């Protein structure tokens, strides 16, 4: 089977840094991706890691350790608009089939 | 491009009725995915297509659910008969296999289905 675990909710203040962790158990692994979903909206792609290490895209970074079956999303200089749910997802082939975690609801406070 | 288009955006129906959800993927994309999202079960992959051919339908909950992709620009997800536990937001997503390491999925706005 396949399973992903991430915290259900995280709270932080504006300007802070927050890390959302994701651990996975999958029969096959091709890469780990992160999606953001605002309340009432659709998931949108944030980042992807196929190899170990850190990928940086502006205020967001994502990290992967394949040996530990672990990854995280790092959000810096938090803004109110970052309040949303964040999903990690595992792809088990290049075709892009994704298995999503349950999501982490991030609340950014003033 | 207009992005992935789904219709209807909201659907309220009574138990036992047939429901058809529609999706138009981004032009040129060769993968199409149907997801269901609920508070209890999260975001679940129901079925996906590659070049209009169903590849994996292991997520389809039961025989009441069926999906088709008659051509590259249109797909349907049908529930017959519908039940209250089918109430959820149904998302369609598409992606392009361009040979890169990863194919970003682009999601449509979703259809919020309520079965009374």
């Amino acid at each position: 089977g396949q399973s992903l675990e991430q915290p259900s909710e995280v709270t932080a203040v504006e300007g802070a840094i927050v890390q959302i962790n994701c651990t996975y158990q999958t029969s096959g692994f091709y890469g780990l991706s992160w999606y953001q979903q605002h309340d009432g909206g659709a998931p949108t792609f944030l980042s992807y890691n196929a190899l170990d290490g850190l990928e940086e895209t502006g205020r967001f970074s994502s990290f992967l350790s394949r040996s530990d079956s672990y990854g995280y999303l790092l959000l810096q200089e938090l803004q109110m608009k970052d309040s949303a749910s964040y999903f990690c997802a595992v792809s088990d082939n290049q075709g892009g089939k994704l298995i999503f975690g349950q999501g982490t609801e991030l609340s950014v406070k003033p | 491009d207009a992005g992935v288009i789904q219709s209807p955006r909201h659907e309220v129906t009574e138990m036992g009725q047939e429901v058809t959800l529609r999706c138009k993927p981004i032009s040129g994309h060769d993968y199409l995915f149907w997801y269901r999202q609920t508070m209890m079960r999260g975001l679940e992959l129901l079925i996906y297509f590659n070049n209009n051919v169903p590849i994996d339908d292991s997520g389809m909950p039961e025989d009441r659910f069926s999906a088709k992709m008659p051509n590259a620009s249109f797909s349907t997800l049908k529930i017959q008969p519908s039940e209250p536990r089918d109430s959820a937001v149904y998302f369609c997503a598409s992606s392009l296999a361009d040979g890169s390491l990863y194919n970003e999925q682009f999601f449509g706005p979703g259809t919020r289905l309520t079965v009374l």
Side-chain angles (χ1 to χ4, degrees), chain B residues 7-63:
Chain B
S7 65
R9 294 293 307 276
H10 301 273
E11 176 82 23
V12 180
T13 191
E14 293 189 347
M15 182 174 63
Q17 296 298 305
E18 177 179 296
V19 175
T20 299
L21 311 182
R22 298 172 175 79
C23 175
K24 176 178 168 54
I26 293 173
S27 177
H29 281 192
D30 45 10
Y31 282 89
L32 183 139
F33 307 84
W34 281 102
Y35 293 91
R36 177 173 68 176
Q37 187 173 36
T38 61
M39 288 294 292
M40 290 298 294
R41 301 179 66 89
L43 196 58
E44 304 173 275
L45 176 66
L46 300 177
I47 184 172
Y48 78 99
F49 297 81
N50 179 216
N51 292 323
N52 314 339
V53 177
I55 302 300
D56 185 346
D57 65 354
S58 59
M60 296 287 261
E62 40 194 284
D63 292 345

Side-chain angles (χ1 to χ4, degrees), chain A residues 28-101:
Chain A
F29 181 83
Y30 204 80
L32 184 72
S33 54
W34 290 90
Y35 280 75
Q36 178 191 59
Q37 184 179 28
H38 285 98
D39 196 29
T44 57
F45 173 78
L46 288 177
S47 69
Y48 174 72
N49 295 72
L51 304 174
D52 286 358
L54 192 68
E55 295 282 342
E56 298 181 71
T57 308
R59 294 187 297 113
F60 295 179
S61 303
S62 58
F63 172 83
L64 175 66
S65 169
R66 295 175 70 113
S67 60
D68 295 324
S69 298
Y70 164 76
Y72 66 71
L73 179 69
L74 191 72
L75 298 85
Q76 302 182 71
E77 301 173 18
L78 280 175
Q79 302 175 9
M80 297 295 290
K81 67 178 181 178
D82 297 329
S83 293
S85 291
Y86 293 84
F87 295 86
C88 60
V90 166
S91 52
D92 63 1
N93 59 61
Q94 195 172 7
K97 172 183 174 180
L98 292 176
I99 306 300
F100 281 84

